[in-house]
Every structure is written in structure tokens, then in C-alpha cells.
């Protein structure tokens, strides 16, 4: 497959996987999937730019908490709520203390259990609280924080799809993307996201990179546990990592001391 064709297919797949943009579907295979997962941080940065703009615009017209909730809600709408759904399903499976196929069966259930509900409430409240704090800060810092945290969440997908990490099922999104991302793409993505986070805390330029890289380190440890419990990654696991890393990055960006 020509490089240009693979790149175009990967871009389309990245946009349709991580956003609701009405993009015409292209070829869907492991080559395109690897490109899409490697480009996930870039799509996250673009989504973060939209959300950051909404936060600043709404914050100029309404109280910070209102602007924060609107931004969080819009983020869910622009991603079809898929990452939140993945978070709920993954936490429900973890809370069951089951392993392998039994845990995967719980993840496939259409309903959300108590563990999943609590996880959703905590994550949405934390994100709203942090965005409310950011809405009262310098505009450039707030914008950079939203861009960096949203991009970091998508970089976690590439981390989970790196070579050597298996899929939990022989079918589904996990099987399509598992093991498709090389360390070169991950390193480049991590450096780009860390640099994007520098303006998020102007008086402490080290805090932004440390926040996103620390969140990714937590995700790497969690990923090992999830692979042991489930046998590999699934689409739900990817969604859970997006929300967890985004939330942890936000928290790291607003910590003071």
C-alpha cells in the first residue's frame, strides 16, 4: 500500500474513532489502525483546542463552573461518550474480581453496574472541578492545559497499542489495533504532548510536562494490571485509559505547592 494512501486511511480512521466528525470511511486494516493510533494525540490536541476555546468563550459569559460543565458535556458529545462507556465497563469488570473470559463477559453487558456509575461520577466531577479552576486562570494557560490533557489521554491509547501488548479477544477494536504502534511514534508523541503542556503552568514550566508524563506512567502500570486480568486490551480498556489519563493530567496541572 502506498504511504500516502495508508496515511490518508489512518487519518480518516483516527478521526472517526476519536471524534464524531462526519468523515468518509477509508480502508480499515491493521496498517491503517497503526497509523490512526499513532495519530491519536494529534486528534486529541485538535479536540482539546475546540474544548479549550469553548471553555474560554463560555467562561467569559457564565460562571466558571457552568463553563466547565458545558465543556465536559461537549467533550462527551464530540466523542459519542465512547471513552466514558469504556471506563464504566472496565471498572465494572475490575470490580467483579473475575478474570479472563468471565471479566470480558461483564464488559460486554449493556447495563452499567455500581462500580461503573461511581467511576463515571468521580471522573466527571473531577474534570468539571479542574476546568472550573482553569476557567479563572490566564487564557493561554487554560487553553494549553485543555489541549495538553486531552492529547495526553489519546496518547495513552498509543501506549496501550504498542508492540508486545496483546488483544483480549480475537475480534473487535482491541484485536485490530493491538501491537500496531512502535516506540518511535510513542516517543515522538510523548515529547510533543510534554512540550504542549509547558505553557499550562507559566510560573512553573516543568509542572505541565511532569503532569502529563506522570499520568502516562500511572497508565502504564494500570495497563499491566488490566492485561493480567483480561488477557489483553479491548476497546473498553482504551476508552478507560483515555479518561483516566486525561483526568490525572488535569489534576497534575492544577496542583499547587
Amino acid at each position: 500500500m502506498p504511504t500516502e494512501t495508508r496515511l490518508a486511511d489512518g487519518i480518516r480512521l483516527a478521526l472517526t474513532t476519536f471524534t464524531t466528525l462526519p468523515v468518509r470511511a477509508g480502508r480499515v486494516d491493521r496498517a491503517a489502525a497503526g497509523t490512526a493510533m499513532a495519530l491519536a494525540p494529534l486528534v486529541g490536541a485538535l479536540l482539546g483546542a475546540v474544548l479549550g476555546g469553548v471553555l474560554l468563550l463560555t467562561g467569559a459569559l457564565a460562571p466558571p463552573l457552568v463553563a466547565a460543565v458545558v465543556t465536559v458535556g461537549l467533550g462527551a458529545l464530540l466523542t459519542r461518550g465512547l471513552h466514558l462507556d469504556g471506563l464504566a465497563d472496565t471498572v465494572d469488570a475490575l470490580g467483579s474480581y473475575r478474570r479472563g473470559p468471565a471479566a470480558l463477559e461483564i464488559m460486554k453487558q449493556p447495563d452499567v453496574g455500581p462500580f461503573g456509575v461511581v467511576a463515571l461520577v468521580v471522573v466527571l466531577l473531577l474534570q468539571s472541578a479542574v476546568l472550573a479552576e482553569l476557567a479563572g486562570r490566564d487564557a493561554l494557560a487554560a487553553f494549553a492545559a485543555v489541549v495538553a490533557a486531552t492529547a495526553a489521554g489519546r496518547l495513552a491509547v498509543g501506549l496501550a497499542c504498542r508492540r508486545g501488548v496483546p488483544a483480549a479477544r480475537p475480534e473487535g477494536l482491541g484485536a485490530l489495533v493491538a501491537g500496531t504502534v512502535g516506540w518511535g511514534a510513542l516517543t515522538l508523541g510523548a515529547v510533543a504532548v510534554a512540550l504542549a503542556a509547558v505553557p499550562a503552568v507559566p510560573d512553573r514550566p516543568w509542572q505541565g510536562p511532569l503532569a502529563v508524563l506522570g499520568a502516562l506512567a500511572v497508565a502504564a502500570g494500570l495497563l499491566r494490571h488490566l492485561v493480567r486480568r483480561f488477557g489483553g486490551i479491548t476497546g473498553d480498556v482504551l476508552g478507560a485509559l483515555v479518561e483516566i489519563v486525561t483526568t490525572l493530567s488535569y489534576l497534575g496541572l492544577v496542583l499547587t505547592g
Side-chain angles (χ1 to χ4, degrees):
M1 180 190 305
T3 302
E4 295 81 2
T5 302
R6 184 173 63 185
L7 179 60
D9 289 337
I11 291 172
R12 283 194 288 264
L13 183 57
L15 290 172
T16 56
T17 300
F18 296 107
T19 74
T20 57
L21 283 176
V23 179
R24 179 177 59 86
R27 182 191 296 267
V28 179
D29 56 17
R30 283 182 60 80
T35 302
M37 298 305 104
L39 292 174
L42 176 59
V43 176
L46 295 174
L47 177 62
V50 173
L51 297 178
V54 169
L55 178 68
L56 295 177
L57 178 61
T58 310
L61 303 172
L65 183 57
V66 173
V69 172
V70 168
T71 304
V72 170
L74 180 62
L77 288 175
L78 292 178
T79 57
R80 303 185 191 88
L82 290 179
H83 308 319
L84 292 168
D85 179 70
L87 174 68
D89 289 342
T90 300
V91 173
D92 275 338
L94 286 174
S96 71
Y97 295 103
R98 298 182 183 180
R99 293 178 175 272
L104 295 176
E105 190 60 32
I106 290 175
M107 295 171 76
K108 290 173 62 177
Q109 299 300 317
D111 57 328
V112 179
F115 287 106
V117 170
V118 171
L120 289 175
V121 170
V122 170
V123 162
L124 292 173
L125 284 177
L126 283 175
Q127 290 185 6
S128 296
V130 171
L131 286 170
E133 167 67 19
L134 290 174
R137 293 189 174 184
D138 173 77
L140 177 58
F143 184 81
V146 177
V147 170
T150 309
R154 278 67 186 172
L155 181 59
V157 173
L159 182 68
C161 296
R162 73 183 187 275
R163 288 167 192 157
V165 178
R169 301 188 183 98
E171 74 286 333
L173 179 61
L176 177 66
V177 301
T180 61
V181 180
W183 281 105
L186 280 177
T187 302
L188 181 61
V191 170
V193 173
L195 290 175
V198 170
V201 189
D203 55 336
R204 288 185 287 186
W206 51 266
Q207 183 171 336
L210 183 62
V212 297
L213 294 177
L216 289 166
V218 172
L222 176 60
L223 177 63
R224 286 195 293 271
H225 178 65
L226 294 175
V227 170
R228 285 196 299 267
R229 285 287 302 274
F230 305 148
I233 63 169
T234 68
D236 284 332
V237 166
L238 300 182
L241 290 174
V242 168
E243 293 298 339
I244 290 169
V245 170
T246 300
T247 304
L248 291 177
S249 297
Y250 274 140
L251 289 172
L253 290 169
V254 298
L255 289 177
T256 59

